Amino acid sequence: MRRIVSVLLENEPGALSRVVGLFSQRGYNIETLNVAPTEDPTLSRLTLTTIGDDKTIEQITKQLNKLVDVVKLVDLTEGSHLERDLMLVKIRTGAEQREEIKRTVDIFRGQIVDVGPEIYIVQLVGTGDKLDSFIAAIGCSEVLEVARSGVAGISRGEKILSA
Amino acid sequence: MEKLSGSEMVVRSLEDEGVEFIFGYPGGAVLHIYDALFKSKKIPHILVRHEQAATHAADGYARATGKPGVVLVTSGPGATNAITGVATAYMDSIPMVVLSGQVATHLIGEDAFQETDMIGVSRPIVKHSFQVRHAEDIPITIKKAFHIASTGRPGPVVIDIPKDLTKPEDLFEYSYPKSVKMRSYSPASRGHLGQIKKASRLLLGAKRPVIYAGGGVILGRSSDLLKELAEYLNFPVTNTLMGLGSFPASSAQFLGMLGMHGFYEANMAMHNSDVILAIGVRFDDRVTNSVDKFCPGAQIIHIDIDPASISKTVTADVPIVGEVRTVLVEILKQLKEETDKNSCSARKGSLDDWWHQIEMWRKENGLWTDRRYPNSDQIMPQQVIECLNRVTGSDAFVTSDVGQHQMFAAQYYRFDKANRWINSGGLGTMGFGLPAAMGVQLAFPNEIVVCVTGEGSIQMNIQELSTCTQYNLPIKIVNLRNNYLGMVRQWQDMQYEGRHAMSTYEDSLPDFTKLVSSYGHVGFEIKELSDLEDIMEEAFSIKDKLVFLDIFVDPAEHVYPMHVAPNGAMNDMWLSKSKRT
Ligand SMILES: Cc1ncc(C[n+]2csc(CCOP(=O)(O)OP(=O)(O)O)c2C)c(N)n1
């Protein structure tokens, strides 16, 4: 099963490598990884998605919790939550395809953020699934480059992840 | 406030922390620190001959005393040489603080002379690590390192110190913090009361119970409570390799070690049990054999301070996360509340059948109820350990290396006290025994310290014979000389049709008696069984010198019992070269 784990991490040198190292050391996989500072400069927030059965996920969260730099963590998939991935796609377009692409971008509520003689850059925000469907809808041959942020997530309602 | 340099702060912090010994080796990046150590003179520094030995010696000290061992090494090769010892301590959860020098801050990342990314290299084998960025952080960093190393599930902590931060000319205000609080580090202490109640009821209803106790009981200083609990319940107790000594071998309730080379009665009792009380253990693959066949009828109560150890390999029915001491106190309280005296003795009677069954197993194949090894015209390795056990009255500190000799020592030495059996269980590090014995002997100068070893293992850190001369360490080395990498040979006999690929030294072994005497030690060769006891007595009567006993044993002997693997259960064992369960 796919899980989204969000981690509050001490903003210390080496903290990130401990988290990433743990995954390779223990043979867990990381599908996406997103790290950035938070409103508290001493903390950064790391969100990763991983795939595994319940037992593996339990071990992952326990092992993460053991890292001294990990302040708190939550498995967002355990409750109701929001997840967003941001994608920039560079697409080659001949004149005859431009309308078609614009329509598709609109359907997916994306934006064309840069335009060149034969190039569009599209920005899209959503769940990983939505971004995958967009790529499928565009047709692979025209996609030149994809840059994705990896999933960031937050739980709905009153529940908060804080130090 | 007092003003000190970075290097003086390192030394003073260690003094204020109460450190008794530093095991180390100097080099460029730590020379400022060595100079401060030289001037202060408060903490004795033990100069080893190889940094690996510094970590093993600190580790031996820690295992015997329960206090963190302290290591000081230089950058680059000094740090990498220490790595095997850090990994050894990590696998067995031993508290240790390793101070490694680092190139000056402005050189980091430039592949400077003797630069190694110690934080990166040690990352997967430390509980935590710090690279000091500002000299004024030295005291708090050292305080945190000791706190982390010695609380919760203990483990090694590395502090990497760039040379420029220890310059003698830069002074800082010094005070050593009395305590530390870290928001991201708070090890569990009390177990969950609901779970403890559930466990108590399960224990009281058990018909075929076993207590399976490990190194966590020793690390958590709870052997007294283990004994009280086992006696209160009249339950049999088995120990892991790491747990030996946590329950007295002389007790009739002791089943011996369990696992791959465990006692028949211990493995049988586990396999046939209905309730297993697992305390401070981790269901290691060397214990469980195939996990899917592990103890099919047992409900498992698992007490451990590390939540990640619970249900990692074998799922626990009643998990209890907490300090073993506080949990055992609670369980005892619950048990006593739930039983009045009468029902307790009635219940004790209900274990009669189980104890009867265990006695049968003991009689059939127990290692301590009859001689189970073959007759031979040579000395059998088991006889050596039996003799050692007699001569030292089951009361020595025994360190060991890794191989057959380690298993024979674990099977035939009868440890009655915790912290006396000192071996590399998790990593299985050959070369551990002698330096570990140095750490133990320094901590207990008047006690008997024995290193049980093999000619393969002893040569991995044999240079430490020189350290033993320098510090007058009267260790007794018992070398079970079988002229092979014996445990390798055993596997080759059993799994590779006796093809002994690279497991023999082809007459290249030194005369160990001459070798040790060149260091000023005493050496004896023993080739006849009739000499064994007398010469061993003589060796142990020499109180002020290291004695090396080179004992020629039957090279063809194997360690039994041995789990049938892969795909075997706890009760699938080889009991001799020809007999299987
Ligand atoms: C550093 C290291 N290298 C290799 C091994 C693999 N190994 C395990 S036991 C063993 C043989 C040990 O031989 P010896 O010390 O003579 O002891 P014996 O088994 O003969 O008693 C070897 C090579 C190990 N455990 N540690």
Side-chain angles (χ1 to χ4, degrees), chain B residues 402-405 428 430 454-457 482 484-488 505:
Chain B
V402 173
Q404 292 183 317
H405 60 272
M430 290 170 68
E455 8 40 61
S457 294
N482 53 14
Y484 279 92
L485 297 172
M487 189 57 95
V488 171
Y505 329 90

Side-chain angles (χ1 to χ4, degrees), chain B residues 237-239 244-245 247-258 261-266 359 361-373 382 385-386 389 394 407-416 560-561:
Chain B
V237 180
T238 178
N239 277 153
L244 291 173
F247 190 76
S250 56
S251 162
Q253 285 172 247
F254 188 52
L255 303 183
M257 179 173 76
L258 84 171
H261 292 298
F263 283 39
Y264 175 76
E265 55 269 45
E359 278 315 319
W361 285 325
R362 270 186 179 150
K363 277 212 190 81
E364 278 163 28
N365 290 304
L367 294 184
W368 293 351
T369 48
D370 205 347
R371 175 176 167 144
R372 306 293 174 190
Y373 45 89
Q382 296 93 332
I385 307 296
E386 286 176 328
N389 183 52
S394 307
M407 292 302 126
F408 290 132
Q411 291 178 335
Y412 287 93
Y413 200 91
R414 307 198 184 187
F415 295 96
D416 265 343
Y560 293 108

Side-chain angles (χ1 to χ4, degrees), chain A residues 10-11 13-14 17-18 21-22 24-26 40 42-43 55 58-59 62-63 65-71 163, chain B residues 90 119 123-130 133 148 153 182-185 306-315:
Chain A
E10 293 285 1
N11 198 354
S17 75
R18 282 184 232 275
L22 175 73
S24 61
Q25 177 185 354
R26 298 202 176 257
D40 175 348
T42 66
L43 289 173
K55 196 171 163 141
E58 186 183 326
Q59 264 299 308
K62 283 174 168 177
Q63 294 291 353
N65 263 318
K66 260 172 82 170
L67 294 178
V68 171
D69 287 327
V70 168
V71 181
Chain B
Y90 180 72
I119 300 293
R123 188 200 48 73
I125 51 164
V126 294
K127 185 168 172 189
H128 195 55
S129 55
F130 297 94
R133 303 273 155 151
I148 293 170
R153 179 177 180 174
M182 300 172 69
R183 64 177 168 185
S184 57
Y185 178 73
D306 177 6
S309 277
I310 294 178
S311 300
K312 181 172 68 178
T313 59
V314 171
T315 306

Side-chain angles (χ1 to χ4, degrees), chain B residues 176-201:
Chain B
Y176 194 63
K178 291 222 161 32
S179 62
V180 270
K181 257 193 110 97
M182 300 172 69
R183 64 177 168 185
S184 57
Y185 178 73
S186 51
S189 55
R190 311 184 71 85
H192 187 276
L193 197 59
Q195 294 292 79
I196 287 174
K197 285 191 175 153
K198 216 164 131 189
S200 308
R201 282 193 295 272

Side-chain angles (χ1 to χ4, degrees), chain B residues 60 70 81 98 107 237 247 258 310 334 353 418 423 461 526 562 573:
Chain B
V70 179
N81 270 354
V98 178
L107 292 175
V237 180
F247 190 76
L258 84 171
I310 294 178
Q334 284 300 321
D353 288 350
N423 85 130
N461 270 318
I526 308 179
M562 181 168 177
M573 288 168 269

Side-chain angles (χ1 to χ4, degrees), chain B residues 107-407:
Chain B
L107 292 175
I108 290 178
E110 297 193 351
D111 301 316
F113 178 63
Q114 295 194 329
E115 178 183 3
T116 296
D117 173 11
M118 179 59 167
I119 300 293
V121 169
S122 64
R123 188 200 48 73
I125 51 164
V126 294
K127 185 168 172 189
H128 195 55
S129 55
F130 297 94
Q131 187 171 62
V132 185
R133 303 273 155 151
H134 309 285
E136 52 270 42
D137 295 341
I138 287 172
I140 182 73
T141 307
I142 291 179
K143 183 80 207 174
K144 280 183 185 169
F146 277 89
H147 176 60
I148 293 170
S150 55
T151 54
R153 179 177 180 174
V157 177
V158 164
I159 309 178
D160 201 39
I161 311 177
K163 183 168 186 180
D164 52 315
L165 305 187
T166 60
K167 271 195 294 215
E169 58 271 26
D170 297 346
L171 300 181
F172 305 87
E173 292 192 338
Y174 171 81
S175 76
Y176 194 63
K178 291 222 161 32
S179 62
V180 270
K181 257 193 110 97
M182 300 172 69
R183 64 177 168 185
S184 57
Y185 178 73
S186 51
S189 55
R190 311 184 71 85
H192 187 276
L193 197 59
Q195 294 292 79
I196 287 174
K197 285 191 175 153
K198 216 164 131 189
S200 308
R201 282 193 295 272
L202 204 53
L203 292 173
L204 290 172
K207 296 272 180 302
R208 300 183 311 280
V210 189
I211 299 179
Y212 151 39
V217 176
I218 297 173
L219 293 165
R221 297 170 203 253
S222 300
S223 0
D224 55 335
L225 291 176
L226 172 61
K227 187 156 176 280
E228 189 182 337
L229 180 72
E231 283 174 358
Y232 184 78
L233 291 164
N234 189 30
F235 280 10
V237 180
T238 178
N239 277 153
T240 64
L241 178 66
M242 292 306 300
L244 291 173
S246 67
F247 190 76
S250 56
S251 162
Q253 285 172 247
F254 188 52
L255 303 183
M257 179 173 76
L258 84 171
M260 177 177 273
H261 292 298
F263 283 39
Y264 175 76
E265 55 269 45
N267 287 344
M268 293 302 282
M270 285 288 286
H271 187 80
N272 291 286
S273 64
D274 66 346
V275 174
I276 293 174
L277 175 59
I279 315 175
V281 293
R282 56 192 180 86
F283 295 83
D284 180 83
D285 53 286
R286 283 292 191 270
V287 163
T288 58
N289 216 359
S290 304
V291 170
D292 46 329
K293 295 185 181 159
F294 180 75
C295 304
Q299 299 229 56
I300 294 171
I301 304 164
H302 189 178
I303 305 169
D304 205 283
I305 189 132
D306 177 6
S309 277
I310 294 178
S311 300
K312 181 172 68 178
T313 59
V314 171
T315 306
D317 299 286
V318 186
I320 304 176
V321 180
E323 260 174 21
V324 58
R325 218 178 160 81
T326 53
V327 173
L328 290 187
V329 166
E330 279 299 325
I331 289 187
L332 272 161
K333 208 172 109 199
Q334 284 300 321
L335 288 174
K336 286 173 185 168
E337 271 172 28
E338 283 182 38
T339 47
D340 57 57
K341 267 227 151 62
N342 292 335
S343 71
C344 185
S345 59
R347 193 188 41 75
K348 273 191 183 171
S350 76
L351 295 180
D352 285 354
D353 288 350
W354 182 230
W355 272 113
H356 182 70
Q357 172 65 69
I358 288 171
E359 278 315 319
M360 300 278 285
W361 285 325
R362 270 186 179 150
K363 277 212 190 81
E364 278 163 28
N365 290 304
L367 294 184
W368 293 351
T369 48
D370 205 347
R371 175 176 167 144
R372 306 293 174 190
Y373 45 89
N375 289 315
S376 163
D377 49 5
Q378 305 181 61
I379 303 176
M380 296 302 282
Q382 296 93 332
Q383 289 174 313
V384 178
I385 307 296
E386 286 176 328
C387 180
L388 175 69
N389 183 52
R390 279 196 302 278
V391 170
T392 58
S394 307
D395 200 34
F397 285 90
V398 180
T399 74
S400 99
D401 273 300
V402 173
Q404 292 183 317
H405 60 272
Q406 174 192 27
M407 292 302 126

